Amino acid sequence: MDPARLAAERVARGSYGRLVALLAARSRDIASAEDALADALVAALRTWPERGIPANPDAWLLTAARNRMRNAYRHRTITVAAEPDLALLHLPDGDEPQAIPDERLKLMFVCAHPAIEAGIRTPLMLQTILGLDAARIGSTFLVSPATMGQRLVRAKAKIKEAGLRFDIPSPADMPGRLAEVLDAVYAAYGVGWDGHHGGDAGIRDLAQEAVFLGRLLVALLPDEPEAKGLLALMLYCEARREARSDGEGRFIPLERQDARLWSRDLIIEAEALLIAASGFGRFGRYQCEAAIQSVHVQRPITGRTDHHALLTLYRLLAERHPSIGALLGYAAVLVEAGRAAEAMALLDALPADDIRTHQPYWVTLARTQDALGLPEAASASLETAIGLTGSDAVRAFLRTLLDPR
Amino acid sequence: MQYMLLLTEPETEFAKRTHPEHATEYWGGWRAFIDAIAQAGIIVNGDGLQGPHTATTVRVRDGKRIVQDGPFADTKEQLGGYFVIEVPDLDTALEWAARAPSASYASVEVRPVLPPMTPPAA
């Protein structure tokens, strides 16, 4: 591939979100910013092979995109009086690399704004920060490209027309708003994780994209322990990627994984993040979940899983952040600790609507019923879980639990 | 940007406006909110509305005027007043909306005002 194309693609990958954020920060017009940047990238591919790659490709693209945005506003037949032409004239000039400010954090807070429907926040972030197209996002979220495209267009229109704030939240609002950003990033990781067993390369990459966003948040918000907690959590999970399935793609649960296949580097990085986060002395859901993962990775060192530590952490998580996943995790650890009756009481108390089609609930229920000496009920629960599983590998694994009965 | 805060209230709150025991507290809450928003200097326009029992709805169908007693939609919460405010962004508008007494027992809808259109360029 010729160097100009390579440079353009490298810039597109590395700087896409930075340039979109900068172009949209004042106008709030993400769609126009993306269109202008796409045009600028096309122009770069045409111009760079002839005239050579500019010294600062980002600045070149920014200038080209900014000119296109200005022209687009000028040529609009019906202009709205409040259209931010004046604001556009005040865009910073990016002639030097240092002069290009990083507005991506503001863009992330806009994407995960409470005024944006929760289900579209993750797709919006993947598109605006990383430049993923609607077709790929749609396929990972099991939505048609056309539908995903429409939902993204609608969300961008809302941001622009309703005038959402492009800014870092005030310290008072930060905890709640940051939680929404972190949740959106973690949702991207969750989709990537679930898809892992399906073997879809595009979905597997999504976990990497989520880790990229996690690293970005840690870099841009060095004083937020929860950002570190989320990145640590994702890295612990990434560290076990190779150990999660066997040569034939069959799922291997954590307790049976070959720890030699875990990535030492990622675990070391995760541990360092978690230690740095704990230094702030502020509890958070993601730090707690990362700490749980940290307990699990101690197994190959100590030769046993510290159930006491897991119980403490899950109880804390269940009290402070009682999500369905946290409560199911707590129940599973109670069973491991020989307290199945308590686990059953906890499971019984879960709201019926939350669990009816929630596969992990039925798996946890089956384990609890087994521990209580109710094999027939456990089999029935496993059957239900198998029926609710979307991944072939997990389905095959659950069948192996059912077969020996 | 300009935003309209659409303040809705349930029937029980409309009733408090003239209730011998509750009227003082009801109006006290609104007075505090109105004073604060006026003090901020962001009000473009705003009014309280008389209760839904005073509403009349009109429709013209096939050239015929159909007049009906009551508000256009029969819902639990009815429009009780509005403000148009001038603030930099939706986030600021939402902060003001959350301070309205009715936000705690009913809801406040926040909508950007359509900017004035300029005629097509010649």
Side-chain angles (χ1 to χ4, degrees), chain A residues 33-343:
Chain A
E34 286 176 326
D35 289 348
L37 185 56
D39 282 355
L41 284 164
V42 169
L45 282 176
R46 206 173 44 229
T47 322
W48 294 1
E50 292 166 23
R51 295 190 212 160
I53 301 156
N56 184 349
D58 280 10
W60 191 98
L61 285 171
L62 182 63
T63 305
R66 201 173 46 198
N67 289 340
R68 269 164 181 75
M69 261 179 114
R70 274 205 199 99
N71 286 340
Y73 281 125
R74 212 167 282 150
H75 289 142
R76 220 162 270 177
T77 46
I78 297 175
T79 56
V80 172
E83 206 69 77
D85 298 58
L86 283 174
L88 271 172
L89 297 175
H90 291 107
L91 273 178
D93 278 308
D95 294 335
E96 292 171 38
Q98 298 87 341
I100 301 181
D102 196 342
E103 305 278 35
R104 281 178 293 184
L105 193 56
K106 293 180 186 174
L107 186 54
M108 289 172 94
F109 276 108
V110 167
C111 290
H113 195 285
I116 297 295
E117 182 214 331
I120 198 70
R121 291 175 193 166
T122 301
L124 199 54
M125 219 180 259
L126 292 170
Q127 181 160 73
T128 60
I129 305 284
L130 301 173
L132 304 194
D133 63 34
R136 191 173 147 210
I137 299 171
S139 74
T140 39
F141 285 84
L142 306 177
V143 177
S144 78
T147 305
M148 181 52 78
Q150 277 170 2
R151 292 179 63 201
L152 287 164
V153 165
R154 227 179 293 140
K156 287 174 207 166
K158 167 104 193 237
I159 289 171
K160 179 182 170 225
E161 285 157 20
L164 271 60
R165 185 185 294 168
F166 263 77
D167 213 349
I168 314 295
S170 67
D173 293 337
M174 185 53 108
R177 294 289 310 278
L178 180 61
E180 282 158 349
V181 171
L182 298 178
D183 289 351
V185 172
Y186 193 47
Y189 189 78
V191 172
W193 174 273
D194 293 342
H196 176 72
H197 309 293
D200 182 324
I203 293 176
R204 197 153 54 233
D205 286 348
L206 205 54
Q208 307 289 344
E209 308 286 14
V211 170
F212 178 90
L213 290 174
R215 288 191 193 283
L216 185 62
L217 280 168
V218 168
L220 296 175
L221 289 168
D223 295 329
E224 292 295 340
E226 271 295 85
K228 292 181 171 64
L230 171 63
L231 179 57
L233 173 60
M234 293 192 291
L235 293 178
Y236 280 122
C237 295
E238 281 302 284
R240 301 199 301 262
R241 177 183 289 282
E242 294 306 316
R244 271 206 310 268
S245 52
D246 65 15
E248 278 133 68
R250 279 182 299 232
F251 173 73
I252 305 174
L254 176 58
E255 62 272 17
R256 290 191 216 159
Q257 286 173 9
D258 180 353
R260 287 168 303 178
L261 295 174
W262 294 351
S263 159
R264 226 178 103 79
D265 289 350
L266 289 178
I267 289 173
I268 289 170
E269 190 185 354
E271 295 278 345
L273 281 162
L274 193 53
I275 290 165
S278 66
F280 289 87
R282 275 148 54 192
F283 173 85
R285 174 219 166 165
Y286 288 112
Q287 291 170 75
C288 194
E289 290 200 35
I292 287 166
Q293 297 303 321
S294 175
V295 172
H296 284 302
V297 300
Q298 304 302 318
R299 172 169 62 87
I301 302 163
T302 59
R304 53 179 278 276
T305 300
D306 186 348
H307 287 114
H308 181 71
L310 285 181
L311 270 176
T312 305
L313 288 166
Y314 267 114
R315 187 168 52 235
L316 195 60
L317 191 62
E319 280 168 13
R320 305 284 284 273
H321 191 87
S323 67
I324 190 91
L327 294 168
L328 290 177
Y330 189 30
V333 177
L334 283 170
V335 172
E336 292 295 317
R339 292 158 63 177
E342 284 172 69

Side-chain angles (χ1 to χ4, degrees), chain B residues 5 7 24 26-43 46 83 85 96 99-101:
Chain B
L5 312 185
L7 306 153
T24 314
Y26 174 89
W27 288 113
W30 279 105
R31 179 50 55 201
F33 173 66
I34 295 164
D35 284 351
I37 203 165
Q39 195 103 53
I42 55 172
I43 298 178
F83 278 106
I85 59 173
W96 282 106
R99 291 185 187 119

Side-chain angles (χ1 to χ4, degrees), chain A residues 327 331 334-335 339-350 361 365 368 372:
Chain A
L327 294 168
L334 283 170
V335 172
R339 292 158 63 177
E342 284 172 69
M344 188 54 100
L346 197 154
L347 293 175
D348 281 343
L350 294 174
Y361 164 80
L365 180 63
T368 312
L372 289 170

